[in-house]
Amino acid sequence: MDGRGLVRRVGLVGSVRGLRTLRSAWRRRSADARALPPRGAERARTPGPLTGAKPGPGGGVVRFARSELRIRVAVGGAVFWAWDGAGPLPSYALAGEAPAPDPRAVLEPDKDGGWQVVSERLTVVVSREGAVELRTPGGVLLRRELPPRWWEPVGGGAVRWVQRSEVPADARFFGLGGRASGPRLRDGVYGLWNTDPGGRFGPQDDPLYLTMPVQVVVSDAGTHLAFHDNTWAGRVVLHEGEEGAGSGHDRPGTSEVRMEGGPLRCWVVTGTPARVLQGWTALTGAPALPPSWALGPQHARWGFGGEREVRLVVAGYRERGLALSVLHLDIDHYDAHQVFTVDRERFPALPALAEELRGEGVRLVSIVDPAVKARPGGAVFDGGAAVGERGAFVRDATGRVVVGEVWPGACVYPDFTDPLVRDWWGSLYAERLAQGFSGVWHDMNEPVSFAAFGDPSLPRSARHRLEGAGGDHREAHNVYGLAMARAGYEGLLRLRPGERPFLFSRSGWAGLQRYGGTWSGDVSTGWPGLRASLSLVLGLGLCGVPYSGPDVGGFDGFPSPELYLRWFQLGAYLPLFRTHAAIGAGRREPWEFGAEVLEHARAALVERERLRPYFVTLSHLARLSGAPYARPLWWGAPGDRALRDCEDAFLLGDALLVAPVLERGAVRRAVRLPRGRWYDTATGRAYEGPGQVVLDAPPSRIPVLARAGSVVPVLGADGGLRLEVWAPAPGRAGGGLVVRDAGDGWERAEVERYTSRREGSRVVVEREGGAEVDLPVRVRGLEGVSPPAPEG
């Protein structure tokens, strides 16, 4: 426990809520002590020697003395393997049915006495001891799974297991959900238990709100994604490898996945980064498409006070010529913090306020927490108690409803792993829509019960429906937020079928993108928090969640004008662009930080709005292909080792490279360039990559470069759509994709493809398919080229 946490807990103990929190913690520990006795003696088990094999669709089953391994190559190239008879279903991660097996993949004997499955993109080799090797068609090793080990309680209970893996010495690890220390995951232990860190977090804190057993591994041999489909509590231990010097041996990188229970099963997707994310999306579902208004600037504050303050804030944006698309209301707009209510003293006419703001182009979004005040007579509590035969709320092993402590006081928790409960909860969003809200933001849904000491979650012995299979909180905890997001998304879809739902969630799991996005949560105010913000967005994008962003300025504390401005400039280029502050942490409107910050923040907002058609295009492309909006620099060149180690810049789509300022006092910064020509969008100056350049980064802007040849949809001065084309290098061509904004319904997106080429001093832009280019075109970047800075 750090000093900050100790002070928080001492403060709690001295309050009425603190006493209730202590009682809640005592009940949680007592329930677990009764229902989850010590494991006692255990038997360790390994697969044992190979005994035989049986070919089947897409692969087959390899039998060992004490276990069996199922291998299946799916249509599309993804590989599934599992031990002890586990199959791909049921799964919270997969979208619908598992993909069909590839009939061309055949299980056959291997020359070393094992077995292998040869497919178009991958060869899977199983050794006589139970190791599983994943190789490229050319035989290069991507990943080696060593024989697993299980620990089975003699008296019965959940079977623990560990799976150790090796990757090439040059490999780099990414992913595992939202990690503040990323995006490159260095040597360390990473928890797999969605956790509220308790007020704020920085790069040193792990785990956080949204963990996933999803590894993205990039090496010279290729890129692959490995997903251990298991929702139980666990941990991942990573060690990067080291290449031998001279005649020395390489030391491979290693991954160790330990789970407290559940199946040992894994999916692997290989290929280019774009193909890997496309394959992952095919497994887990296409990202929900946010309404176009959700791609504009958003503002939130915990502690608006009332309608008058909301109007003043919106008027402040308008009077200063600042764009604003969305305003978020936090828990203080509720009646005594109770979900699906309104404080009528502070917000006496909320529907009228929402309609008024919508007329000004500003939508309202409401926070929604899962905890329901445990008070008979309350509409939500009574409605939940009447769901099904046992009610909607999570119970303990004795059948009593679990009671925790959250903002409303003593609370109960809907069991979102029950389809009946999801349907009931989704129907409650009719109240939010009736109040005029256009979307929702899910918070506190790890789920949280305030903790005097230890883990702020429900008892691990609490019982859940788990889609009819039944189980306890150890299995359900990590998918609680995911199941809540599903309930909210499907409820909004039923209530307003003609509009795309807008939902983002603090917690979730693999597949969250089907229902919406996420945000950073309570990132600490400071330069480390700014850096963590970028890490979270990039890591989540590689795990299939493309729509995310941080609390600009940090959750707590008081950012300096410089820190706020640099955070604001970064946020302007991320998918979810939201300023936010905790109660007591001051105001985060741009004009609160002085005239200079206001001027530069206005410039960032103007550029964000100018790029709105590009963000719309990226949102549609993410839905169609799984490609994140914000991508690591190695996205198009995973073989470039220098790019694999670059963590302070990112690609926005294919066209733009964004290099935020992440250090205090910096007015210049080094930028690593991928191969090709890149234009500084502020000066028009061209640079040739690969290599490193040093660019100006004055307070007025951060470096943003455009790829030569790119075609970018932007808004013109008249508000109309136009194409901004960056001149290709001589002898080269380029292009870009455009999806026009067809509104916030379900109109099918048409992807327009444009090409650009250089003819002497002239740039020619054409639309593929022979269609006429019916948009104004502006060509930029016909100036000279500067060489990259020397290495070293």
Side-chain angles (χ1 to χ4, degrees):
M1 182 190 308
D2 62 14
R4 193 175 64 224
L6 180 61
V7 170
R8 179 176 181 267
R9 288 173 171 81
V10 170
L12 278 175
V13 171
S15 67
V16 174
R17 171 169 291 155
L19 294 175
R20 291 199 305 256
T21 298
L22 285 172
R23 286 198 296 268
S24 174
W26 178 84
R27 287 195 302 265
R28 182 172 65 248
R29 292 191 176 190
S30 298
D32 285 347
R34 290 191 303 269
L36 300 175
R39 294 180 63 88
E42 295 179 310
R43 287 188 294 263
R45 173 168 61 90
T46 59
L50 188 150
T51 60
K54 180 181 179 181
V61 175
V62 183
R63 297 190 179 94
F64 297 84
R66 292 179 291 275
S67 188
E68 66 178 30
L69 173 68
R70 174 183 298 180
I71 300 174
R72 187 167 79 178
V73 178
V75 172
V79 174
F80 174 79
W81 57 263
W83 290 91
D84 288 351
L89 296 175
S91 169
Y92 276 98
L94 268 60
E97 296 297 320
D102 185 346
R104 299 171 297 176
V106 178
L107 181 67
E108 59 189 21
D110 181 44
K111 61 183 179 181
D112 294 323
W115 291 80
Q116 67 175 9
V117 180
V118 180
S119 68
E120 181 181 359
R121 299 182 186 174
L122 203 63
T123 297
V124 185
V125 181
V126 182
S127 77
R128 291 174 293 177
E129 295 78 28
V132 180
E133 291 186 354
L134 306 172
R135 295 183 173 273
T136 68
V140 179
L141 179 69
L142 285 173
R143 187 181 188 93
R144 176 184 291 113
E145 307 284 354
L146 302 178
R149 182 179 292 267
W150 298 267
W151 288 268
E152 302 170 335
V154 173
V159 177
R160 299 186 296 122
W161 56 260
V162 60
Q163 174 68 70
R164 296 184 175 92
S165 311
E166 296 178 347
V167 296
D170 66 286
R172 297 289 182 259
F173 294 100
F174 301 86
L176 295 182
R179 305 288 167 170
S181 60
R184 172 184 165 193
L185 302 178
R186 290 169 170 79
D187 295 2
V189 180
Y190 300 89
L192 294 174
W193 184 258
N194 293 346
T195 303
D196 175 5
R200 57 182 176 177
F201 69 86
Q204 75 282 357
D205 293 305
D206 187 276
L208 298 177
Y209 315 97
L210 205 168
T211 67
M212 297 185 203
V214 179
Q215 300 177 23
V216 176
V217 183
V218 186
S219 68
D220 289 352
T223 302
H224 73 269
L225 178 150
F227 167 53
H228 290 87
D229 193 352
N230 184 311
T231 68
W232 281 65
R235 68 178 190 180
V236 179
V237 182
L238 299 178
H239 291 285
E240 292 184 340
E242 184 176 354
E243 293 183 295
S247 59
H249 294 289
D250 286 354
R251 178 174 59 82
T254 61
S255 162
E256 178 184 281
V257 179
R258 287 182 176 267
M259 289 293 184
E260 294 181 9
L264 173 44
R265 57 183 180 176
C266 185
W267 287 93
V268 177
V269 185
T270 66
T272 64
R275 178 170 281 184
V276 165
L277 264 293
Q278 187 173 33
W280 176 237
T281 300
L283 281 175
T284 60
L289 189 64
S292 57
W293 51 262
L295 297 171
Q298 308 185 32
H299 184 73
R301 190 201 306 161
W302 179 10
F304 269 121
E307 290 186 7
R308 180 176 178 276
E309 180 67 12
V310 168
R311 286 191 173 92
L312 286 174
V313 169
V314 174
Y317 273 86
R318 294 292 177 256
E319 290 166 4
R320 294 168 176 84
L322 304 175
L324 180 66
S325 294
V326 184
L327 190 138
H328 300 246
L329 297 189
D330 211 316
I331 55 175
D332 48 298
H333 88 279
Y334 281 130
D335 180 11
H337 296 153
Q338 297 178 78
V339 68
F340 300 119
T341 64
V342 175
D343 184 332
R344 297 298 178 185
E345 291 187 6
R346 295 180 177 183
F347 293 89
L350 187 52
L353 173 66
E355 184 177 0
E356 172 190 327
L357 296 182
R358 189 163 180 164
E360 298 180 32
V362 178
R363 309 285 185 124
L364 284 184
V365 166
S366 169
I367 193 172
V368 174
D369 290 353
V372 175
K373 187 172 181 62
R375 185 185 68 182
V380 180
F381 180 84
D382 289 349
V387 173
E389 297 180 357
R390 291 172 55 83
F393 305 118
V394 175
R395 295 175 179 266
D396 65 18
T398 68
R400 293 179 298 183
V401 173
V402 171
V403 179
E405 182 72 18
V406 200
W407 299 117
C411 290
V412 293
Y413 300 82
D415 181 5
F416 296 114
T417 70
D418 184 339
L420 287 177
V421 176
R422 289 198 296 269
D423 288 346
W424 162 72
W425 186 264
S427 70
L428 299 179
Y429 289 75
E431 183 274 341
R432 295 287 87 186
L433 297 179
Q435 297 295 343
F437 290 105
S438 297
V440 294
W441 132 48
H442 286 177
D443 203 351
M444 306 292 286
N445 60 336
E446 287 71 35
V448 172
S449 175
F450 292 150
F453 306 98
D455 181 18
S457 65
L458 302 188
R460 297 197 176 202
S461 59
R463 303 296 298 175
H464 291 263
R465 181 71 174 164
L466 287 166
E467 317 306 320
D472 62 38
H473 196 64
R474 293 174 297 175
E475 184 176 1
H477 174 86
N478 282 335
V479 294
Y480 190 89
L482 173 71
M484 181 186 179
R486 178 179 178 182
Y489 181 87
E490 292 178 348
L492 292 169
L493 193 59
R494 288 193 302 270
L495 292 165
R496 288 192 178 166
E499 295 184 14
R500 301 198 298 269
F502 177 58
L503 181 152
F504 63 103
S505 172
R506 190 170 80 172
S507 185
W509 201 63
L512 175 65
Q513 74 277 358
R514 298 193 296 265
Y515 314 117
T518 185
W519 89 106
S520 66
D522 303 341
V523 61
S524 62
T525 296
W527 292 93
L530 171 59
R531 186 175 290 270
S533 297
L534 177 57
S535 299
L536 286 159
V537 173
L538 292 176
L540 287 163
L542 291 173
C543 292
V545 183
Y547 183 84
S548 69
D551 282 348
V552 168
F555 176 71
D556 65 335
F558 298 88
S560 67
E562 180 192 9
L563 174 60
Y564 175 82
L565 177 61
R566 293 311 195 184
W567 218 318
F568 198 92
Q569 290 168 333
L570 167 62
Y573 291 95
L574 296 177
L576 173 59
F577 178 23
R578 182 180 91 144
T579 54
H580 183 45
I583 194 167
R587 304 169 65 105
R588 295 285 168 80
E589 293 81 32
W591 55 88
E592 298 292 336
F593 294 87
E596 182 181 8
V597 169
L598 174 60
E599 177 187 355
H600 300 330
R602 180 184 292 110
L605 284 171
V606 167
E607 183 63 7
R608 171 70 178 220
E609 287 298 280
R610 194 180 77 89
L611 290 173
R612 180 81 74 93
Y614 187 50
F615 278 94
V616 169
T617 295
L618 293 178
S619 71
H620 283 275
L621 296 180
R623 180 166 180 79
L624 293 171
S625 69
Y629 309 38
R631 309 165 185 178
L633 289 189
W634 49 259
W635 178 262
D640 187 326
R641 296 188 177 189
L643 294 181
R644 293 207 294 259
D645 292 343
C646 183
E647 302 176 276
D648 60 357
F650 63 97
L651 298 174
L652 182 61
D654 284 333
L656 300 180
L657 189 160
V658 182
V661 173
L662 305 177
E663 297 179 356
R664 179 188 292 110
V667 293
R668 287 171 65 79
R669 60 150 295 172
V671 180
R672 174 70 57 178
L673 298 180
R675 183 175 300 279
R677 179 170 294 183
W678 295 86
Y679 296 97
D680 186 326
T681 58
T683 66
R685 189 175 180 182
Y687 300 88
E688 201 73 31
Q692 181 172 280
V693 296
V694 178
L695 300 179
D696 290 334
S700 60
R701 60 180 172 85
I702 58 176
V704 178
L705 298 103
R707 190 190 302 270
S710 59
V711 178
V712 183
V714 299
L715 289 180
D718 60 354
L721 183 64
R722 64 192 295 178
L723 300 179
E724 186 167 80
V725 181
W726 291 88
R732 301 180 189 171
L737 305 176
V738 177
V739 180
R740 305 194 193 201
D741 187 357
D744 298 327
W746 298 98
E747 294 83 357
R748 184 174 180 178
E750 180 185 358
V751 180
E752 302 174 9
R753 301 176 182 272
Y754 293 88
T755 61
S756 64
R757 68 178 188 275
R758 192 92 168 250
E759 291 185 354
S761 60
R762 191 168 73 98
V763 174
V764 177
V765 179
E766 297 176 326
R767 183 171 171 183
E768 287 190 2
E772 179 185 357
V773 177
D774 60 351
L775 297 172
V777 176
R778 179 191 180 194
V779 176
R780 300 185 64 185
L782 292 173
E783 296 81 4
V785 180
S786 297
E791 299 292 336

